[in-house]
Amino acid sequence: MWEGLGLQVVLIWLGIGLCSHALTALEHAQGNVHNHAHRWQLSLHRHRERGKVGQVLHRSKRGWVWNQFFVIEEYTGPEPVLVGRLHSDVDSGDGNIKYILSGEGAGTIFVIDDKTGNIHATKTLDREEQAQYTLIAQAVARDTGRPLEPPSQFVVKVQDINDNPPEFLHGPYHGRVPEMSNVGTSVMQVTATDADDPTYGNSAMLVYSILQGQPYFSVEPQTGIIRTALPNMDREARQEYDVVIQAKDMGGHMGGLSGTTEVKIILTDVNDNPPKFLQSVYVMSVSEDKAPGEEVGKLKARDPDIGENGLITYRLTEGDGMGIFEIVTDLERQEGIVRLKKSLDFEAKRAYTLRVEAFNEYVDPRFITLGPFKDSATIKVMVEDVDEPPAFTSPMYSFEVEENAPPGIVVGRVHAKDTDIANNPTRYMIRRYTDLEEFFSIDPEDGIIRTTRPLDRESLPWHNISVSAVEIGGHHQDAKVRVNIRVKDINDNAPELTSQNEVLMCESVTPGKVVDTLSAVDKDEMGPQQQFHFSIAPGAIGNQNFSLKDNQDGTASIYVTRKGFSRITQDVYLLPIVISDNGSPPLSSTNTLLVRVCGCDSRDAVLSCNVEPYILPAGLSTGALIAILACIVILLAIVVLFVALRRQKKEPLIVFKEEDVRENIITYDDEGGGEEDTEAFDIATLKNPDRASGILPRKDIKPDMQQPLQQRLQPGATSADVDRFIASRVLEADNDPAAPPYDSIQVYGYEGRGSVAGSLSSLETVTTDSDLNYHYLQSWGPRFKKLADLYGTKDSVNDSS
């Protein structure tokens, strides 16, 4: 229910506003500068007059009356424009009411006559800057300033005029549309804005038109959508178009304002062009000495499309060189590269024919009728003859020869021939860097290889040499081939012991124990049936110390046949052993085995093999001696450091025979007895006690000359002229070049003459009678205990007497 009521109120207000707007527009058309509207009576609140006590107050009917206020923007008249007039029902026209205006622009833009209520605009207004102003009016008593009406709010609207042209805020524009598009294909939309009031008149009613770009494109007048106007626009013929669009207000009628923008439209590519070879036959040539994988030639088809629409792929479809050649696509250059797949031979075949095809990988089905999107061409490859080097009948040769064979034995033969049509003869030679010691020679005409001296398999079992065949005549081409020669073995080396010929044996060895196991080695080639036989030499068969057993597996064991071996009696035994092989012819050798007798521990670990036992040195160990030496070195370093520090100490500047008492502060606990007391203190103590020993030497300076000391006053002990004495001492010290550079403090217990305070000495009180009581000193604490003992005790004794 409340929602319906609110909607009705809104509709009523909207109707009132529309009617007021229509009436105002009509009055403007008639040239009336004053904007009058219907009268609106408002009863805002009760008006109660104040009277005497008991007087009945009557409510007066009154209210605000004003016009609906409008101001035309950009008004440039000579006088301020009258906006409207405010009037209150309580205004009787006698001038007792004062109208007050406040709010937006009050006092600056809008002024009010406080007597009549007329409102004028003093400045030119721009609706695009501010469309309306909210003001507050009030009527008050002129004499008292008492409000007669509550404040009321009203709105001054700025009437729009067509003073702003349309603007394209986002221009210039860039659009794209595929080539070959149908008529009416949307390219893009442009939008203009007008700052004028779109709700009043036609100032902001825009109409779009095309000024440049016809007949290729058109624009919808109301929406600004740009569309294609011609069919089958080809990108390959023209890719870019510059279009100018105009937006005009006032519905496009005469007198309206306009604005333009530029639109750059680009046609995007589609695959509407098949690839095409520029020629039907391509001729290429290649030398027969080219290696597989090398390039033979290039070809390229033309496709005006771009991007993936212009990608071309090449392939061989037929021909007699399908297995000899191949073609690959260079994606960057869009070229077809013909490469060699197998080696060529000019003498076998001199020309090949191939069929090549170029096609697009991506085909647009919309334009399939424009195809087929491929093209073919013929490739003729001509093989060029080159002067080739001779060719050996085998890529590698392997021969065998027995070692120790006499010189001149034939090892084998190599053969090469000229593959060219001329078939020139060849010559052979051994490359000497492969046979530095010249074990072999070759016949230069027939290629037979022979030995030049006997070969030793044990020194070099294989010989790898290189043989060259050089063509006689032509370009002297040569070819190389590797020849591997194996030296066959013969039995020309006797077997020998594998390990060293010395065996260590303990003195306590028991009979029948194996001392060592022997093995043999033969420099000759060992066959699967090769065996070694071991035996003791015939001259040592009758020995009583050792025996030998052949294990029939290429090893032999040495046994001890007695006990009681001693290093002192004999420390070394020599045992000759014969080792033979079963070669053809069989060979043998005699090897001497040295058996050394050694001293061992209980676990048969060898301790010593010398004749005399090894005596360990007695005394301290090496580690202990090193520690003792290190301690001695450290002590010596400490002593040297201490002496160096003592020498670096500075000696005093003055050498004193005795202590200089002037550095001390001498305090005397005696007071003088006043001016008349001359016996209480001996003035002779003020004399320098060190003067008797002469002038003190100085170490820091050496005086240029020794000035004689002035005659000093020697006042006696009873002398009372202390002033002169002190003055002489000061003068003497100032003029003494040998005086020490430091200050000396001297204390003189002298009070001076004519003291009005009297004597402060306590010495005189000892002999005089005094009625002072010093018992209070006992309570002053430990600091005054001495005084309490001296004076308090004496007084108490006197009192007792």
Side-chain angles (χ1 to χ4, degrees):
M1 180 179 70
W2 292 104
E3 294 179 356
L5 182 58
L7 181 59
Q8 292 176 5
V9 172
V10 171
L11 292 176
I12 291 172
W13 276 94
L14 182 60
I16 293 172
L18 291 175
C19 292
S20 175
H21 184 68
L23 291 175
T24 304
L26 181 60
E27 290 180 7
H28 278 297
Q30 295 175 354
N32 187 9
V33 297
H34 300 288
N35 301 301
H36 300 285
H38 63 281
R39 182 182 300 270
W40 188 8
Q41 180 72 29
L42 291 177
S43 178
L44 299 175
H45 64 84
R46 292 183 177 181
H47 175 66
R48 300 181 180 273
E49 296 181 358
R50 296 185 180 181
K52 299 180 181 180
V53 178
Q55 183 180 359
V56 179
L57 299 177
H58 298 281
R59 182 178 68 180
S60 61
K61 184 178 180 182
R62 79 312 175 265
W64 281 104
V65 177
W66 69 82
N67 294 332
Q68 186 73 28
F69 297 142
F70 292 91
V71 178
I72 297 178
E73 68 170 335
E74 305 294 343
Y75 175 77
T76 59
E79 296 181 359
V81 61
L82 177 62
V83 177
R85 180 183 180 187
L86 296 178
H87 181 70
S88 176
D89 291 344
V90 298
D91 188 1
S92 59
D94 54 2
N96 292 328
I97 296 178
K98 180 181 180 181
Y99 295 96
I100 299 174
L101 187 65
S102 62
E104 295 179 318
T108 57
I109 300 176
F110 303 100
V111 295
I112 188 171
D113 189 337
D114 59 355
K115 293 181 179 180
T116 63
N118 292 333
I119 303 174
H120 290 81
T122 62
K123 294 182 179 181
T124 301
L125 303 181
D126 188 358
R127 191 202 66 84
E128 286 71 38
E129 292 183 0
Q130 187 167 346
Q132 64 183 19
Y133 296 85
T134 301
L135 299 173
I136 299 173
Q138 190 174 14
V140 299
R142 184 176 295 276
D143 52 354
T144 62
R146 180 174 58 87
L148 301 178
E149 295 287 347
S152 295
Q153 178 176 301
F154 63 95
V155 175
V156 177
K157 293 185 177 180
V158 182
Q159 191 87 23
D160 182 53
I161 63 174
N162 189 17
D163 59 342
N164 291 279
E167 294 182 355
F168 291 90
L169 301 180
H170 302 288
Y173 295 87
H174 297 272
R176 303 170 70 89
V177 63
E179 64 173 335
M180 310 299 290
S181 296
N182 296 327
V183 176
T185 302
S186 175
V187 178
M188 64 179 303
Q189 183 179 13
V190 296
T191 303
T193 59
D194 195 323
D196 294 327
D197 188 2
T199 64
Y200 178 76
N202 295 329
S203 299
M205 182 179 294
L206 304 181
V207 174
Y208 298 93
S209 61
I210 183 168
L211 301 182
Q212 177 181 324
Q214 295 175 335
Y216 306 102
F217 300 95
S218 64
V219 62
E220 293 184 356
Q222 286 74 30
T223 62
I225 297 176
I226 302 174
R227 300 182 183 275
T228 58
L230 284 181
N232 301 326
M233 286 192 294
D234 191 4
R235 184 199 66 85
E236 288 73 32
R238 181 177 178 182
Q239 184 176 0
E240 295 184 0
Y241 296 84
D242 294 326
V243 179
V244 178
I245 302 297
Q246 174 185 269
K248 190 174 184 180
D249 60 11
M250 299 298 292
H253 296 297
M254 183 179 297
L257 303 178
S258 63
T260 60
T261 185
E262 294 182 359
V263 182
K264 183 178 287 294
I265 300 177
I266 298 177
L267 298 182
T268 59
D269 183 64
V270 298
N271 192 7
D272 59 338
N273 295 280
K276 187 72 175 178
F277 283 108
L278 300 180
Q279 57 193 73
S280 59
V281 178
Y282 292 87
V283 179
M284 302 178 183
S285 60
V286 58
S287 299
E288 63 174 338
D289 60 346
K290 291 288 186 180
E294 293 192 35
E295 180 181 321
V296 176
K298 298 179 181 179
L299 50 85
K300 185 175 183 179
R302 181 182 178 274
D303 191 337
D305 296 325
I306 60 175
E308 65 177 14
N309 298 321
L311 294 179
I312 302 175
T313 303
Y314 301 88
R315 63 188 173 190
L316 297 177
T317 57
E318 58 182 351
D320 55 359
M322 293 291 292
I324 307 298
F325 302 94
E326 63 179 356
I327 189 169
V328 294
T329 303
D330 185 350
L331 296 178
E332 182 178 356
R333 299 177 178 273
Q334 286 294 290
E335 295 177 338
I337 302 175
V338 180
R339 292 179 178 175
L340 190 62
K341 198 173 181 180
K342 293 182 179 180
S343 299
L344 299 175
D345 188 0
F346 173 80
E347 289 73 25
K349 189 173 179 62
R350 303 183 180 184
Y352 296 89
T353 302
L354 299 169
R355 191 71 178 170
V356 61
E357 183 180 85
F359 61 94
N360 287 139
E361 288 282 351
Y362 307 98
V363 178
D364 194 335
R366 296 177 299 171
F367 308 103
I368 195 69
T369 56
L370 302 177
F373 287 85
K374 60 182 179 180
D375 193 18
S376 299
T378 301
I379 302 176
K380 290 185 176 295
V381 181
M382 310 304 295
V383 181
E384 296 178 350
D385 185 27
V386 295
D387 189 8
E388 299 176 287
F392 285 95
T393 56
S394 175
M396 185 181 64
Y397 295 90
S398 296
F399 304 118
E400 292 183 348
V401 61
E402 289 187 353
E403 66 173 331
N404 297 327
I409 293 296
V410 175
V411 175
R413 181 186 179 188
V414 297
H415 179 66
K417 64 178 180 178
D418 186 11
T419 57
D420 297 324
I421 298 178
N423 195 14
N424 294 320
T426 57
R427 295 290 182 268
Y428 303 94
M429 60 176 294
I430 297 176
R431 294 184 176 269
R432 283 306 164 193
Y433 67 88
T434 62
D435 185 23
L436 296 176
E437 299 186 14
E438 299 184 2
F439 289 105
F440 306 96
S441 64
I442 188 171
D443 192 314
E445 295 183 357
D446 55 16
I448 297 176
I449 301 174
R450 292 181 173 84
T451 61
T452 59
R453 54 180 169 172
L455 305 178
D456 186 8
R457 190 203 68 84
E458 288 72 34
S459 298
L460 193 60
W462 283 89
H463 294 268
N464 300 319
I465 63 175
S466 177
V467 176
S468 296
V470 181
E471 178 184 350
I472 303 301
H475 294 83
H476 299 281
Q477 299 283 345
D478 66 335
K480 294 181 293 183
V481 69
R482 182 176 178 179
V483 179
N484 300 322
I485 302 174
R486 175 177 174 268
V487 182
K488 298 173 62 176
D489 182 55
I490 61 174
N491 192 20
D492 58 344
N493 291 280
E496 299 175 351
L497 286 176
T498 303
S499 61
Q500 59 182 359
N501 300 337
E502 181 173 326
V503 178
L504 302 181
M505 182 185 67
C506 295
E507 291 179 315
S508 58
V509 64
T510 59
K513 185 176 181 180
V514 176
V515 177
D516 192 16
T517 299
L518 305 178
S519 60
V521 64
D522 196 334
K523 295 180 181 180
D524 294 326
E525 186 176 3
M526 298 290 294
Q529 303 297 327
Q530 185 74 24
Q531 290 185 357
F532 298 113
H533 300 283
F534 299 85
S535 62
I536 298 177
I541 292 179
N543 76 89
Q544 303 297 324
N545 300 318
F546 306 98
S547 62
L548 183 145
K549 178 183 178 183
D550 193 340
N551 298 325
Q552 302 298 322
D553 58 356
T555 63
S557 300
I558 304 297
Y559 292 87
V560 178
T561 57
R562 71 177 182 87
K563 64 179 180 177
F565 291 92
S566 175
R567 288 179 293 169
I568 299 175
T569 304
Q570 184 176 354
D571 60 338
V572 175
Y573 293 89
L574 301 178
L575 182 63
I577 297 175
V578 177
I579 306 174
S580 59
D581 58 17
N582 57 351
S584 178
L587 299 177
S588 62
S589 65
T590 301
N591 301 264
T592 301
L593 182 66
L594 188 146
V595 181
R596 187 179 297 278
V597 181
C598 303
C600 304
D601 57 9
S602 59
R603 290 177 292 183
D604 293 338
V606 176
L607 297 178
S608 175
C609 296
N610 297 332
V611 177
E612 296 180 359
Y614 182 78
I615 301 175
L616 295 175
L620 295 175
S621 64
T622 304
L625 292 175
I626 293 174
I628 292 173
L629 291 176
C631 291
I632 293 173
V633 171
I634 293 173
L635 290 175
L636 289 176
I638 292 173
V639 171
V640 171
L641 181 61
F642 179 78
V643 172
L645 292 176
R646 288 294 300 272
R647 289 183 177 180
Q648 290 179 357
K649 289 185 177 180
K650 295 182 178 180
E651 297 182 3
L653 298 177
I654 302 177
V655 179
F656 294 95
K657 293 183 179 180
E658 293 180 0
E659 184 180 0
D660 192 351
V661 296
R662 289 180 297 175
E663 291 181 310
N664 302 326
I665 299 175
I666 305 173
T667 303
Y668 302 94
D669 294 331
D670 294 340
E671 265 191 16
E675 290 76 11
E676 303 300 332
D677 188 359
T678 58
E679 296 180 357
F681 178 71
D682 188 2
I683 198 65
T685 58
L686 297 176
K687 299 177 180 180
N688 189 351
D690 296 327
R691 274 301 174 182
S693 59
I695 299 174
L696 294 176
R698 293 187 60 174
K699 298 178 66 177
D700 57 342
I701 62 173
K702 183 178 181 181
D704 296 334
M705 60 179 294
Q706 184 69 31
Q707 297 181 1
L709 298 178
Q710 297 180 358
Q711 186 68 25
R712 295 183 300 176
L713 297 176
Q714 298 292 338
T718 59
S719 176
D721 194 358
V722 181
D723 290 339
R724 292 182 58 194
F725 171 73
I726 294 176
S728 64
R729 292 297 299 273
V730 171
L731 181 61
E732 178 185 347
D734 292 340
N735 297 324
D736 187 1
Y742 49 82
D743 294 337
S744 61
I745 300 176
Q746 300 181 7
V747 178
Y748 301 95
Y750 175 69
E751 292 184 353
R753 302 187 185 93
S755 176
V756 297
S759 177
L760 299 179
S761 175
S762 61
L763 300 179
E764 188 178 359
T765 60
V766 178
T767 59
T768 60
D769 295 334
S770 176
D771 57 356
L772 296 177
N773 187 2
Y774 298 99
H775 289 289
Y776 60 86
L777 294 176
Q778 299 290 343
S779 62
W780 281 14
R783 295 187 178 182
F784 297 91
K785 186 177 182 303
K786 187 67 174 177
L787 292 176
D789 293 340
L790 292 176
Y791 295 97
T793 305
K794 180 178 180 181
D795 293 340
S796 63
V797 173
N798 294 335
D799 293 340
S800 62
S801 60

